[in-house]
């Protein structure tokens, strides 16, 4: 007689406590394959845990975003936000699709150059640009987005020194009716700082003010705020034109579009509630189109959206290390991945699916990571089938920020695999080894030996 | 020996009602089988060997799961400890 | 002969703070034109409607709103494959967003009809957007503000005078007379219903409510104003009476005309001593007291079903004034077997009435 598939015995109490109109969710539906690659095989080949990027999903999302904007606005350019995911293979997928590079540090700038992005297609953002980095960006004809007055003064000095006339934009912050208002970057629109900077740039006549940039927030669940921001930038562009006779060539709306993740504490699934590219595109395009530009003088619209572009294309595969019973009777599951490599679990309830079939029975469990740290909680409460040591899971929507904000803390960082459009996996970042970390360290001679 | 309380009924669908406390529970397949074997008065050794002939599971894994399951039954006050 | 219809209804929680499902079903069962088979859709195994066999013919559990539209759609598709649903009437605020998103797909792929507000209407009437909604449609709305942290509480005094009303985004409302109370309610509500929390200026006056049905073209099909005569400790109506309040009817009529509201709704107003009507809340579905409208001569749920089916509906021109409803509770005696069935299989067939083949 063939034996039945085993599943850990579970018992679950029905309807205890107060009746709640809407209680826990059932999220469980096994995910055994990603783009035709078996989860089981991927983990066997590249080890557990493992980040997986779907090139197919990147393409689909990019085309979706492109369609949403280009059907509404004539001149659109995407720039890949390096900080969201700067693994070079990932960047190059976006560059092949036509994205420029958007960087916020000298390190990212170098990475973009190394990937082969022409200097003139690199947007250099952020509050921290050194003198050497600015000089390099000027020589490369990159688009320098000025964040503060000190940077403007440094840049002016460099212009005198080198005789180069750089292309610049200024970053504007403003009230778009959302909370919290991001006013720490750039120059404020409402209190006149922005005009002050614009006047200085134009009157110094050492650089070309070609663009206006803003980035109003992150994980923006309302598309309207972008409409407000686009209107304000357009008005500013038109006033510059009428005051100085200078045409602003582009408006850069930054990023901050929400992905399909579910923020902690929210009631409905992010998959359903996050605005679509169409929503954002409608708000932004309508505002610029209605601002009063002459039709063939509409500025280029640049978008630096990172999270909404790649979040869904990233998966984290992992395995169960152990099951535990906590002192209060709750079930706990320890996974081989934690907040060290999945930083975003601090603010999202990531969807987690088992990678093998189970019966329909589920139990509530706390999901912990493998770190010896109390804060290492992947999900405070997940409803999953009874998993045993070695069972595998798929964490969804982890493509943004995790592969850049991950920490080499306690454990080494896992490998990253990209599944290409034909469904073939490629290793794009090797699993870290001791030597990768060790080679950066130096040992003074007197500490080389000891006796215990 | 640990045994299931006499008045506990286990249905085919894996539904358990404790008439003393008024609590009701649902079980998965393996859990239902274990409770039924306990209800039939089988010993721990008999239960373990029977489950292992029915299901594809090694001894260590099942031992660990079995004791955790018993603990939950105890916590839910479904057991008579003698 | 009456027309045979299969209608799925949620909100079977006919408890002390009742959902509108059972009253809506009761209205449909009163219909002179339809002979209905009622499919109850439940979230919890203890919703009383599940066990009311003369109210609901067959019950299915459905997944919670947070599981997302895909999961909910596949469950509805499964239920439809057995039941062939003609019309679906959701009755909870918190599930409406998902059903509105699914409405087109359900109609196209499953031939299930609904009559729901548009996403824009649903979002615009949301507590956090109500002030803007009021401005747009020329309605008086008390000043309100969303807050995300208790750190914002001290600043409230700049814009509001105490007392204020502290509200959750879907449910719950408490009157707070000072900062400390705001903070306490903030934490209480946030723990249950999430962020943001809405702070609304408290307006002195009498609370009056109106149930209404908009046809989506700006026409108000019917409406009955009501004043709660007694409320429970949860603020729910215990008893109420239909009112002769032309002002309130006009408020509802102009709101529906200007917003082109589609579907059932309940408007909650404060009527001040100067006879001004401040709109406190728009509930985007029928309230639990909708059966009072039926009792007054306006079967609004029946009219909603007709609109869903694309039939023309005559406006109601009249209703009985001074009719009362008094809510009571009733202990059903239920066999454990039924609870077992709904808990383990997620279904309960309760009626001898056969499915339409």
């Amino acid at each position: 007689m063939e034996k039945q598939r085993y599943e850990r015995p579970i018992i679950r109490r029905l309807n205890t406590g107060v009746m709640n109109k809407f209680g826990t969710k059932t999220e469980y539906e096994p995910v055994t394959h990603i783009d035709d690659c078996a989860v089981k095989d991927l983990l066997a080949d590249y080890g557990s845990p493992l980040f997986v990027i779907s090139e197919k999903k990147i393409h689909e999302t990019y085309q979706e975003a492109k369609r949403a904007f280009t059907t509404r606005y004539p001149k659109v350019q995407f720039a890949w936000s390096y900080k969201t995911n700067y693994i070079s293979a990932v960047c190059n997928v976006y560059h092949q699709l036509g994205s420029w590079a958007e960087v916020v540090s000298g390190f990212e700038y170098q990475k973009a150059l190394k990937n082969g992005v022409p200097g003139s297609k690199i947007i250099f953002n952020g509050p921290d640009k050194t003198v050497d980095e600015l000089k390099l960006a000027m020589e490369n004809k990159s688009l320098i987005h000025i964040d503060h007055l000190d940077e403007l003064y440094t840049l002016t000095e460099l212009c005198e020194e080198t005789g180069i006339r750089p292309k610049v934009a200024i970053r504007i912050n403003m009230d778009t009716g959302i909370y919290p208002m991001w006013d720490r970057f750039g120059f404020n629109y409402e209190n006149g700082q922005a005009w002050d900077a614009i006047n200085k740039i134009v009157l110094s006549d050492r650089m070309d003010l070609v663009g206006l940039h803003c980035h109003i927030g992150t994980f923006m669940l309302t598309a309207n705020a972008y409409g407000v921001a686009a209107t304000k930038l357009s008005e500013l562009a038109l006033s510059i034109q009428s005051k100085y006779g200078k045409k602003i060539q582009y408006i850069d709306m930054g990023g901050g579009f929400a992905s399909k993740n579910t923020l902690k504490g929210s009631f409905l699934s992010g998959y359903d509630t996050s605005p679509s590219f169409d929503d954002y595109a409608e708000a932004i395009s309508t505002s610029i189109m209605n601002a009063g530009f002459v039709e063939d003088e509409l500025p280029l619209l640049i978008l630096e959206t990172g999270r909404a572009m790649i979040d869904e294309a990233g998966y984290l595969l992992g395995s169960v290390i152990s099951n535990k019973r906590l002192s209060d009777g709750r079930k706990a599951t320890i996974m081989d991945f934690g907040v060290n490599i999945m930083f975003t679990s601090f603010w999202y309830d990531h969807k987690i699916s088992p990678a093998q079939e189970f019966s329909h029975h589920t139990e509530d469990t706390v999901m912990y990571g493998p770190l010896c740290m109390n804060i290492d909680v992947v999900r405070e409460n997940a409803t999953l089938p009874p998993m045993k040591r070695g069972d595998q899971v798929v964490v969804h929507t982890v493509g943004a920020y995790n592969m850049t904000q991950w920490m080499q803390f306690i454990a080494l960082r896992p490998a990253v695999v990209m599944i290409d459009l034909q469904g073939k996996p490629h290793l794009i970042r090797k699993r870290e080894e001791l030597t990768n970390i060790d080679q950066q360290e130096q040992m003074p001679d007197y500490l080389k030996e000891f006796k215990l | 020996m640990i045994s299931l309380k006499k008045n506990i009924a286990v249905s085919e669908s894996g539904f358990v009602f404790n008439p003393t406390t008024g609590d009701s529970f649902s079980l998965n397949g393996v859990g239902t089988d274990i409770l039924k074997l306990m209800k039939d008065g089988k010993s721990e050794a008999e239960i373990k060997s029977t489950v292992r002939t029915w299901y594809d599971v090694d001894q260590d894994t099942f031992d660990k799961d079995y004791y955790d399951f018993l603990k939950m039954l105890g916590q839910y006050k479904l057991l008579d400890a003698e | 002969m009456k027309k045979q219809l299969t209608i799925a209804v949620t909100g079977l929680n006919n408890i002390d703070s009742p959902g509108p499902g059972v009253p809506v079903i009761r209205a449909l069962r009163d219909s002179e034109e339809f002979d209905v088979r009622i499919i109850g859709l439940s979230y919890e195994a203890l919703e009383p409607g599940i066990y009311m066999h003369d109210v609901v013919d067959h019950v299915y559990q459905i997944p919670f709103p947070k599981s997302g539209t895909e999961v909910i759609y596949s469950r509805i598709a499964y239920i439809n494959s057995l039941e062939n649903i003609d019309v679906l009437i959701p009755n909870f605020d918190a599930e409406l967003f998902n059903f509105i998103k699914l409405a087109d797909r359900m109609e196209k792929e499953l031939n299930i009809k609904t009559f729901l507000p548009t996403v824009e209407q649903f979002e615009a009437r949301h507590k956090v957007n109500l002030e803007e909604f009021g401005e747009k449609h020329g309605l008086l709305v008390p000043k309100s503000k969303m807050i995300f942290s208790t750190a914002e509480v001290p600043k409230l005094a700049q814009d509001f005078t105490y007392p204020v009303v502290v509200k959750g985004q879907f449910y719950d409302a408490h009157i707070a007379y000072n900062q400390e109370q705001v903070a306490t309610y903030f934490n209480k509500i946030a723990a249950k219903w999430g962020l943001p929390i809405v702070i609304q200026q408290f307006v002195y006056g009498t609370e009056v409510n109106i149930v209404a049905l908009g046809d989506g073209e700006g026409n108000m099909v019917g409406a009955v104003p009501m004043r709660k005569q007694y409320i429970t400790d949860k603020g729910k109506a215990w008893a109420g009476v239909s009112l002769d309040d032309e002002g309130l009817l006009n408020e509802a009529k102009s709101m529906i005309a200007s917003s082109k509201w589609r579907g059932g709704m309940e408007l909650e107003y404060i009527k001040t001593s100067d006879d001004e009507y401040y709109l406190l809340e728009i509930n985007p579905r029928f309230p639990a007291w909708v059966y009072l409208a039926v009792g007054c001569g306006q079967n609004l749920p029946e009219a909603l079903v007709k609109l869903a089916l694309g039939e023309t509906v005559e406006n109601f021109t009249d209703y009985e004034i001074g009719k009362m409803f008094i809510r009571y509770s009733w202990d059903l005696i239920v066999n454990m077997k039924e609870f077992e069935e709904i808990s383990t299989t997620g279904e309960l067939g309760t009626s001898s009435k056969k499915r339409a083949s």
Side-chain angles (χ1 to χ4, degrees):
Chain A
M1 188 185 85
E2 180 138 2
K3 289 187 182 184
Q4 298 177 60
R5 203 167 45 81
Y6 175 77
E7 187 176 272
R8 181 156 46 81
I10 49 172
I11 178 162
R12 185 176 190 177
R13 182 150 40 184
L14 297 167
N15 286 98
T16 51
V18 246
M19 188 156 161
N20 181 359
K21 272 184 199 154
F22 303 100
T24 53
K25 61 169 175 172
T26 49
E27 61 183 330
Y28 139 63
E29 182 82 21
V31 173
T32 56
H33 289 72
I34 295 168
D35 292 358
D36 299 333
C37 291
V39 170
K40 194 161 45 78
D41 296 345
L42 287 167
L43 287 173
D45 293 347
Y46 302 100
S48 180
L50 174 72
F51 275 105
V52 175
I53 307 262
S54 160
E55 188 181 4
K56 187 166 153 235
K57 189 75 202 170
I58 292 182
H59 275 247
E60 283 169 10
T61 311
Y62 184 89
Q63 298 305 347
E64 170 66 20
K66 193 175 163 188
R67 182 200 54 71
F69 280 93
T70 54
T71 51
R72 292 178 169 87
Y73 194 80
K75 289 188 271 180
V76 180
Q77 176 63 50
F78 288 96
W80 177 241
S81 153
Y82 265 49
K83 65 179 177 297
T84 311
N85 191 321
Y86 45 56
I87 294 178
S88 294
V90 171
C91 296
N92 281 9
V93 171
Y94 286 100
H95 297 323
Q96 284 187 352
L97 284 166
S99 281
W100 296 357
E102 184 264 322
V103 303
V104 292
S105 71
F107 155 71
E108 289 187 359
Y109 188 89
Q110 294 290 351
K111 216 159 192 285
L113 281 183
K114 188 159 172 276
N115 285 338
V117 181
S120 61
K121 306 272 166 81
I122 302 176
I123 295 168
F124 199 177
N125 278 323
D128 178 19
K129 310 181 190 87
T130 65
V131 170
D132 289 341
E133 287 160 4
L134 282 173
K135 221 189 244 177
L136 182 64
M138 286 166 72
E139 285 159 7
N140 284 325
K141 302 187 171 52
S142 299
L143 302 166
I144 301 170
H145 288 188
I146 302 168
D147 187 80
H148 45 78
L149 279 181
D150 289 306
E151 186 170 274
L152 177 56
Y153 297 146
T154 309
L155 205 56
T156 314
E157 284 166 22
L158 285 174
C159 292
E160 281 174 38
E161 188 187 313
T162 60
I164 300 173
R165 198 177 166 87
K167 290 185 169 178
V168 302
I170 57 164
R171 175 155 176 182
I172 313 280
N173 69 61
M174 64 190 96
D175 183 4
T176 56
I178 54 128
Y179 176 90
M181 174 177 157
W182 277 18
D183 56 3
R184 57 170 286 190
F185 303 109
F187 302 90
N188 186 258
Y189 176 84
E190 285 85 11
N191 72 5
Q193 278 176 4
W195 265 114
D196 184 33
I198 291 164
N199 291 339
K200 283 192 167 73
I201 291 170
V202 176
L203 296 175
S204 80
D205 196 26
R206 293 195 174 277
M207 37 192 123
D208 289 323
L209 181 64
V210 290
L212 295 174
H213 171 223
C214 71
H215 191 128
I216 56 174
T218 188
F219 214 87
M220 303 289 299
L221 288 167
T222 156
N224 282 346
Y226 284 94
V228 176
T231 301
K232 289 188 175 176
L233 284 196
S234 301
E235 282 168 4
L236 197 54
L238 287 165
S239 324
I240 293 169
Q241 192 173 338
S242 67
K243 182 169 175 189
Y244 291 116
K246 291 196 184 293
K247 284 193 185 90
I248 293 298
Q249 294 166 19
Y250 68 86
I251 284 181
D252 180 345
M253 292 301 297
F257 297 172
S259 70
K260 301 292 185 194
N261 254 312
T262 305
L263 287 173
K264 283 190 181 188
S266 62
F267 188 77
L268 294 165
S269 157
Y271 191 83
D272 296 318
T273 51
S274 294
S276 64
F277 283 116
D278 282 306
D279 297 332
Y280 293 119
E282 183 67 26
I284 292 172
S285 311
T286 313
S287 296
I288 304 180
M289 298 287 261
N290 292 339
F293 290 102
V294 181
E295 200 180 324
D296 52 1
E297 286 177 7
L298 278 168
L300 173 71
L301 170 60
I302 296 180
L303 297 153
E304 303 169 352
T305 174
R307 186 195 309 273
M309 284 285 198
I310 198 170
D311 223 2
E312 275 192 284
Y315 301 87
L316 176 59
L317 316 186
S319 314
V320 175
I321 293 175
S322 176
N323 280 294
K324 259 192 178 173
R325 187 67 66 183
L326 301 176
S327 61
D328 59 3
R330 276 183 307 155
K331 191 84 200 166
T333 309
I334 305 171
M335 307 304 302
D336 65 357
F337 55 86
V339 295
N340 52 331
I341 58 170
M342 208 169 76
F343 209 72
T344 50
S345 49
F346 285 126
W347 52 86
Y348 300 136
D349 281 335
H350 278 290
K351 181 179 169 186
I352 300 180
S353 312
Q356 46 274 301
E357 300 280 346
F358 288 92
S359 72
H360 68 278
H361 291 272
T362 59
E363 58 184 352
D364 293 339
T365 183
V366 193
M367 298 192 95
Y368 292 121
L371 304 182
C372 211
M373 296 279 291
N374 201 42
I375 56 158
D376 191 17
V377 184
V378 169
R379 276 284 297 272
E380 273 121 27
N381 187 7
T383 305
L384 287 169
M387 292 187 297
K388 59 177 191 302
R389 181 177 169 83
D391 278 346
Q392 297 163 343
V393 302
V394 176
V395 187
H396 300 261
T397 325
V398 297
Y401 292 103
N402 285 306
M403 279 155 266
T404 49
Q405 291 189 14
W406 54 2
M407 290 176 272
Q408 188 277 302
F409 173 59
I410 298 186
L412 295 166
R413 285 170 285 203
V416 183
V417 162
M418 183 185 288
I419 301 177
D420 69 19
L421 299 173
Q422 281 71 44
K424 184 168 173 274
H426 301 267
L427 184 64
I428 58 169
R429 193 178 195 275
K430 285 194 280 190
R431 173 174 292 273
E432 282 177 352
E433 292 169 359
L434 178 60
T435 49
N436 300 129
I437 310 305
D438 222 30
Q439 68 194 5
Q440 295 304 108
E441 297 189 13
Q442 297 193 47
M443 183 70 74
D445 282 339
Y446 76 100
L447 286 175
K448 280 184 175 154
E449 282 172 26
F450 53 81
K451 276 194 189 122
L452 289 173
Chain B
M1 198 181 99
I2 294 166
S3 63
L4 200 62
K5 277 189 178 155
K6 298 267 172 311
N7 58 358
I8 305 277
V10 188
S11 81
E12 282 301 321
S13 60
F15 181 84
V16 170
F17 176 60
N18 180 348
T20 315
T21 62
D23 287 327
S24 45
F25 305 89
S26 79
L27 297 154
N28 65 348
V30 180
T32 310
D33 286 339
I34 295 173
L35 241 64
K36 280 204 243 160
L37 291 165
M38 292 177 84
K39 183 96 186 139
D40 293 344
K42 298 282 191 266
S43 71
E44 183 177 318
E46 285 173 303
I47 293 173
K48 285 185 182 171
S49 69
T50 311
V51 170
R52 283 183 38 225
T53 55
W54 289 348
Y55 291 95
D56 184 20
V57 59
D58 64 81
Q59 183 167 348
D60 284 354
T61 306
F62 185 64
D63 275 6
K64 186 171 61 77
D65 292 347
Y66 178 75
Y67 291 121
D68 181 61
F69 185 63
L70 276 196
K71 245 188 225 129
M72 290 314 291
L73 296 182
Q75 196 166 342
Y76 289 142
K77 307 211 181 313
L78 296 169
L79 299 180
D80 268 332
E82 282 166 32
Chain C
M1 209 184 84
K2 286 190 191 177
K3 186 171 179 177
Q4 306 267 336
L5 285 178
T6 301
I7 301 182
V9 180
T10 70
L12 307 180
N13 55 330
N14 216 38
I15 50 171
D16 59 342
S17 171
V22 170
V24 165
I25 295 168
R26 204 175 155 202
L28 298 176
R29 292 227 182 265
D30 279 3
S31 170
E32 304 272 330
E33 300 177 38
F34 305 135
D35 178 17
V36 292
R37 174 174 163 82
I38 297 292
I39 305 305
L41 304 176
S42 74
Y43 291 98
E44 295 275 356
L46 285 177
E47 292 178 31
I50 296 171
Y51 306 95
M52 299 174 153
H53 305 328
D54 48 353
V55 171
V56 177
D57 294 303
H58 202 105
V59 182
Y60 297 86
Q61 300 261 47
I62 55 171
F64 289 107
K66 199 174 182 176
S67 1
T69 46
E70 282 307 313
V71 177
I72 292 164
Y73 181 82
S74 63
R75 180 66 177 162
I76 298 291
Y78 165 79
I79 297 167
N80 188 59
S81 71
L82 301 172
E83 298 290 355
N84 207 2
I85 299 165
D86 295 302
V87 178
L88 188 149
I89 308 178
N91 286 302
F92 286 123
D93 297 9
E95 67 183 2
L96 273 178
F97 181 83
N98 287 333
F99 280 113
I100 291 170
K101 283 219 144 182
L102 287 173
D104 275 351
R105 199 169 153 204
M106 288 196 300
E107 169 144 20
K108 251 181 236 145
E109 294 173 19
L110 307 175
N111 199 26
I112 298 175
K113 304 207 163 49
T114 54
F115 199 72
L116 299 169
T118 62
V119 177
E120 291 70 35
Q121 289 170 342
F122 181 75
E123 290 294 325
R125 65 87 232 174
H126 205 281
K127 283 173 210 179
V128 297
N129 302 326
L130 195 61
E131 216 177 324
E132 198 183 322
F133 185 89
E135 274 170 30
K136 193 167 159 194
H137 300 292
L139 312 165
L140 287 172
V141 176
K143 186 178 184 55
S144 71
K145 187 179 183 191
M146 277 187 273
I147 61 171
F148 293 83
S149 147
T150 48
E152 297 176 70
V153 174
K155 273 190 293 182
L156 290 175
Q158 295 169 6
D159 300 320
F160 295 87
T161 49
Y162 283 98
V164 296
V165 187
V166 186
K167 294 182 162 187
Q169 53 174 333
F170 292 109
Y171 297 101
D172 250 3
H174 298 275
I175 298 170
Y177 292 88
N178 54 46
Q179 286 186 23
E180 288 70 33
Q181 286 184 343
V182 174
T184 308
Y185 292 131
F186 179 101
N187 292 324
K188 235 187 201 167
I189 299 171
K192 204 166 170 194
W193 299 110
L195 297 174
I197 298 298
V198 180
I199 304 296
Q200 195 176 61
Q201 182 61 55
F202 182 84
V203 181
Y204 288 92
T206 313
E207 188 181 334
V208 283
N209 301 333
I210 186 163
V211 56
L213 174 64
D215 70 353
E217 311 282 333
N219 169 45
M220 183 167 87
V221 175
V224 175
M226 179 276 290
R227 177 175 172 193
K228 293 174 187 171
Q229 290 169 296
Y230 210 76
I231 55 169
T232 68
D233 53 1
K234 288 190 174 172
K236 297 289 158 181
W238 176 330
V241 60
S242 60
L243 303 176
D244 176 15
D245 189 335
E246 203 58 39
L248 191 50
L249 280 169
N250 286 335
E251 284 286 328
K253 207 177 274 176
S254 68
M255 180 272 174
I256 286 175
S258 140
S259 69
K260 296 198 165 37
W261 189 267
R262 190 169 186 271
M265 68 193 310
E266 178 194 25
L267 301 167
E268 299 181 17
Y269 288 92
I270 291 285
K271 185 177 180 180
T272 65
S273 50
D274 304 332
D275 281 349
E276 280 182 326
Y277 295 88
Y278 276 88
L279 180 61
L280 296 186
E281 215 165 298
I282 303 172
N283 293 315
R285 34 96 199 146
F286 288 131
W289 57 272
V290 64
Y291 195 76
L292 176 68
V294 183
C296 294
Q298 296 195 4
N299 194 333
L300 298 175
E302 181 194 39
L304 180 136
V305 167
K306 285 199 217 165
L307 288 169
L309 294 171
E311 296 174 13
T312 45
V313 180
E314 296 277 309
N315 284 353
F316 292 99
T317 50
D318 206 7
Y319 61 91
E320 274 187 71
I321 291 152
K323 274 261 166 149
M324 290 166 57
F325 75 91
I326 301 170
R327 220 165 250 171
Y328 70 110
S329 62
W330 176 271
D331 297 353
L332 289 170
I333 303 304
V334 174
N335 287 324
M336 181 59 72
K337 194 75 201 148
E338 294 191 346
F339 175 64
E340 175 186 337
E341 205 178 318
I342 188 84
S343 302
T344 54
T345 66
E347 288 186 33
L348 187 60
T350 63
S351 152
S352 54
K353 196 164 173 175
K354 287 277 165 291
R355 279 173 192 151
S357 49

